[in-house]
Amino acid sequence: LNDQRFRILSGTIHYFRVVPDYWEDRLLKLKQCGFNTVETYTCWNLHEPREGEFDFSGILDLARFLETASRLGLYVILRPGPYICAEWDMGGLPSWLLTYPHIHVRCHDELFLSKIRRYYNKLFSVIRPYLGKNGGCIIAMQVENEYGSYGDDHTYMREILSLYQEADLGCLLFTSDGPQYFTLNGGSLPELLSAVNFGSNPKDNFALLRQFKPNQPLFCCEFWNGWFDHWYEQHHRRESDETAGQLEQMLRDGGSVNLYMFHGGTNFGFTNGANHDGCYQPTVTSYDYDCPVSECGDLTEKYFAIKRVAEQYMGKAPDLQAGNLPKHDYGRVQLTQQTPLFAHLPQPVESASTLTMEQLEQDFGFVLYETVLHGPFERSELTIDGLHDRALIYVDGKLAGIQERTGRRNDAIYLELEAGQTAVLRILVENMGRINYGPKLLDCKGILRGVKLGCQYQFGWKHYSLPCDCPPQQGYEPVGAGADAPLFLKGSFTVQQRQDTFVRLDGFTKGNVYINGFHLGRYWNPAGPQKTLYLPAPLLREGENELAVLELEGIDGPAQVHLTDCEDLG
């Protein structure tokens, strides 16, 4: 760098997982730990939520994030994808790609490449002032992301590289893949730096990289110092000393390292992804990742263990007085008003067969499917052919059962009608997160093929799009008025001084939480492990605040939530 030998010691912080008012705090903690660089992906799906419409504002203000890093004296590694994995919905690919029935992603498909070109043209215009050659902080950019774990289309890889070259970015370009010959061979290009991603055994992994590309520096682009959580699983932990020992070995071996993650943040709203390893595995709202800096910004034991190693090889780190932020127990918030979700239905879209969420031009949330069943028919089992991902099934307004793509719950539902009888069938389907890794990326949501009674498909459907990105403003009545879930409930509380807190929903089952109209994310108490949602102080107001909950199944106890000063990730 500037004609001097330079070792990258970097940590990952995703700007889109941290409220902007906390970007400086998290970056200061990175620098205070002895690191010189921050790494981040960019999320195509949020930056271009509808085709041709771009958003680089608020939590997506990439320029502000880069400006903050630059002002603090940090370099930046940018990883624009277009695919990012990141346990993020569809690996960052926008769901509107699924409206093109013949598209092939992550290969030399001209339709797919045309969409990337448009996104990159906009993205590169945003980052250009921050490129190193223009006096900015960006010193390196990744071409695609772990492509060797997906495919081997080097023509496609060269097309992506050509977009960087045509933009004349003037910085180090690299690829990163898992430490196997087949992944490195499939995902790398001869003229680019190759990095490896792993969580352990650095000696052998760096030795393999040396054999694959003997005349280049060693770089671990993702040192997995923790891990993420799925619903129905235990919270992941990794010992601090063991993590620090692995880092020390890489630095002793002369390598550059990026910690994935340094600070994980939160999957706000519906942005979490999912895995599919024999079964569907949606990721929880917290992206704590057992990081050196926790989801709420606390310095952990792992932080100080890593700091000791960093200072051994990088020199004394500055003391920036960046410590833990205060947490506050605001007590219990009574939810005093309610309104049924089904009282806020939009105009339906009608069709003979069931449509997917993407066909309805919807990215996140729920779709309500409705049809009328006509008798006579014998006792027959109701089955959903292609459920993505979770269905609450109602017959004449009563919950008849729940079915999940996870395989954890699949209530058997049987129906029988006599001649002249009818029944209204409603199926509320939740998008629990599109798959972000592996061969099942093209993960449409809703009901993919249809609904059957016995062997017979049912036709004639109304579709109600329910994005639920914010609670309704009107139509509330006092709690206890007799309405059944799913319900929006809301209440207010007063804040004298804004401080971080955690939303605990004991007695609630499954749903979503909103603070002053901002969608914090999902809770799911029976599934666990996560039991609280992180509520950052910048989302609060001094004075009155509104907290709303969408409860899908029902509450066992009073309609109240606890704003506590203790996190509980299981």
Side-chain angles (χ1 to χ4, degrees):
L1 184 68
N2 300 323
D3 296 323
Q4 300 295 317
R5 292 181 62 85
F6 182 78
R7 186 207 298 266
I8 294 171
L9 184 55
S10 172
T12 301
I13 302 174
H14 296 150
Y15 58 95
F16 46 86
R17 281 180 159 130
V18 182
V19 293
D21 286 352
Y22 277 170
W23 288 345
E24 181 167 329
D25 174 79
R26 295 348 187 214
L27 290 169
L28 281 171
K29 288 168 179 172
L30 179 75
K31 185 172 183 177
Q32 183 178 257
C33 198
F35 287 56
N36 55 29
T37 305
V38 60
E39 177 270 311
T40 185
Y41 286 125
T42 69
C43 50
W44 182 9
N45 63 336
L46 295 195
H47 284 308
E48 192 178 2
R50 287 163 296 281
E51 186 169 6
E53 299 179 16
F54 294 97
D55 186 358
F56 285 84
S57 64
I59 201 170
L60 301 174
D61 191 348
L62 176 58
R64 176 181 167 185
F65 181 81
L66 296 172
E67 180 66 36
T68 305
S70 180
R71 177 167 49 81
L72 298 178
L74 289 168
Y75 295 108
V76 174
I77 297 172
L78 204 64
R79 301 169 77 190
Y83 161 82
I84 64 172
C85 186
E87 291 69 59
W88 194 250
D89 186 84
M90 204 169 156
L93 300 178
S95 61
W96 50 257
L97 290 172
L98 298 170
T99 64
Y100 292 91
H102 302 298
I103 199 167
H104 297 278
V105 301
R106 305 189 75 192
C107 67
H108 187 249
D109 178 281
E110 186 51 44
L111 178 60
F112 181 55
L113 287 166
S114 70
K115 309 305 180 186
I116 299 171
R117 287 189 191 100
R118 181 180 57 211
Y119 167 54
Y120 274 12
N121 284 339
K122 178 63 177 178
L123 176 68
F124 291 164
S125 72
V126 171
I127 69 168
R128 190 167 296 281
Y130 305 97
L131 294 170
K133 74 170 193 172
N134 296 326
C137 53
I138 299 174
I139 58 171
M141 294 179 69
Q142 181 179 262
V143 178
E144 241 279 357
N145 179 52
E146 295 187 318
Y147 183 66
S149 297
Y150 182 84
D152 68 345
D153 189 344
H154 287 173
T155 303
Y156 163 69
M157 288 290 289
R158 291 207 169 276
E159 288 283 354
I160 298 296
L161 175 60
S162 72
L163 299 179
Y164 288 74
Q165 293 170 332
E166 291 165 11
D168 189 26
L169 301 173
C171 64
L172 173 69
L173 300 178
F174 69 95
T175 60
S176 68
D177 289 282
Q180 298 89 28
Y181 281 128
F182 84 94
T183 52
L184 287 165
N185 183 52
S188 65
L189 291 172
E191 65 269 40
L192 299 185
L193 175 74
S194 294
V196 284
N197 302 338
F198 52 82
S200 59
N201 197 16
K203 181 180 179 181
D204 289 346
N205 290 330
F206 271 172
L208 184 143
L209 182 60
R210 281 194 183 97
Q211 292 174 6
F212 183 75
K213 278 198 177 173
N215 299 313
Q216 63 148 59
L218 296 173
F219 181 28
C220 175
C221 182
E222 291 187 14
F223 169 46
W224 307 318
N225 60 91
W227 207 245
F228 55 92
D229 295 340
H230 296 127
W231 299 110
Y232 290 116
E233 295 180 354
Q234 298 296 311
H235 177 53
H236 287 85
R237 299 299 301 268
R238 183 171 185 180
E239 290 299 322
S240 302
D241 290 343
E242 189 267 341
T243 304
Q246 300 283 307
L247 175 63
E248 196 276 334
Q249 188 172 338
M250 284 185 275
L251 296 179
R252 187 175 64 235
D253 208 13
S256 286
V257 183
N258 175 63
L259 265 69
Y260 190 98
M261 302 284 296
F262 186 84
H263 168 61
T266 307
N267 296 315
F268 292 119
F270 294 113
T271 54
N272 67 276
N275 292 93
H276 200 296
D277 185 15
C279 65
Y280 176 72
Q281 303 164 298
T283 302
V284 304
T285 299
S286 170
Y287 201 62
D288 177 83
Y289 213 89
D290 195 34
C291 283
V293 176
S294 73
E295 180 185 14
C296 62
D298 283 354
L299 307 182
T300 66
E301 179 184 328
K302 187 178 292 184
Y303 178 93
F304 294 103
I306 286 172
K307 178 181 171 74
R308 287 191 291 271
V309 172
E311 289 187 326
Q312 182 181 347
Y313 288 88
M314 307 295 288
K316 180 68 175 175
D319 183 4
L320 303 174
Q321 302 297 308
N324 296 350
L325 298 173
K327 317 297 186 296
H328 191 73
D329 186 331
Y330 290 101
R332 301 191 183 276
V333 178
Q334 304 298 323
L335 305 180
T336 59
Q337 296 178 287
Q338 67 182 33
T339 185
L341 172 63
F342 295 161
H344 300 274
L345 299 181
Q347 285 295 113
V349 174
E350 299 188 34
S351 71
S353 58
T354 56
L355 302 176
T356 66
M357 185 175 282
E358 293 75 21
Q359 289 171 319
L360 296 167
E361 299 182 350
Q362 183 181 343
D363 47 6
F364 301 123
F366 305 79
V367 174
L368 179 64
Y369 296 81
E370 179 181 284
T371 192
V372 178
L373 306 176
H374 297 270
F377 55 82
E378 296 83 2
R379 186 173 185 268
S380 303
E381 185 173 9
L382 177 79
T383 57
I384 301 174
D385 188 4
L387 171 60
H388 286 199
D389 299 306
R390 191 172 192 267
L392 280 70
I393 302 165
Y394 302 87
V395 179
D396 287 336
K398 299 296 182 182
L399 182 64
I402 297 174
Q403 297 181 358
E404 293 177 13
R405 187 183 178 191
T406 65
R408 299 282 188 149
R409 183 166 180 181
N410 189 23
D411 296 347
I413 300 171
Y414 291 88
L415 300 175
E416 180 178 4
L417 291 181
E418 297 178 359
Q421 277 190 306
T422 62
V424 177
L425 174 65
R426 281 180 160 180
I427 304 175
L428 182 65
V429 178
E430 179 180 2
N431 168 5
M432 286 291 295
R434 292 181 181 85
I435 293 168
N436 57 259
Y437 179 82
K440 298 181 182 291
L441 277 178
L442 299 184
D443 187 19
C444 291
K445 295 304 181 183
I447 297 176
L448 273 58
R449 290 178 289 276
V451 178
K452 296 191 292 184
L453 277 174
C455 64
Q456 184 185 78
Y457 281 98
Q458 302 300 298
F459 292 98
W461 292 90
K462 293 180 180 178
H463 305 75
Y464 300 91
S465 290
L466 298 167
C468 294
D469 49 3
C470 61
Q473 296 302 304
Q474 298 177 335
Y476 289 87
E477 55 189 8
V479 165
D484 295 324
L487 283 173
F488 282 100
L489 304 105
K490 71 176 182 179
S492 62
F493 63 101
T494 301
V495 167
Q496 302 293 334
Q497 183 178 8
R498 299 189 305 167
Q499 294 182 337
D500 287 356
T501 189
F502 304 90
V503 184
R504 190 172 187 96
L505 298 114
D506 293 336
F508 289 73
T509 307
K510 188 181 192 305
N512 304 78
V513 176
Y514 309 83
I515 181 69
N516 297 323
F518 181 90
H519 187 183
L520 278 184
R522 314 176 205 254
Y523 64 90
W524 194 359
N525 284 329
Q530 182 175 359
K531 297 297 183 182
T532 57
L533 296 183
Y534 172 50
L535 200 173
L539 297 177
L540 296 172
R541 306 171 183 146
E542 290 187 359
E544 187 170 333
N545 291 261
E546 179 183 273
L547 189 145
V549 175
L550 171 59
E551 171 55 50
L552 297 171
E553 297 176 36
I555 308 170
D556 182 13
Q560 63 181 17
V561 301
H562 186 187
L563 298 184
T564 176
D565 56 1
C566 298
E567 69 176 359
D568 184 354
L569 299 178

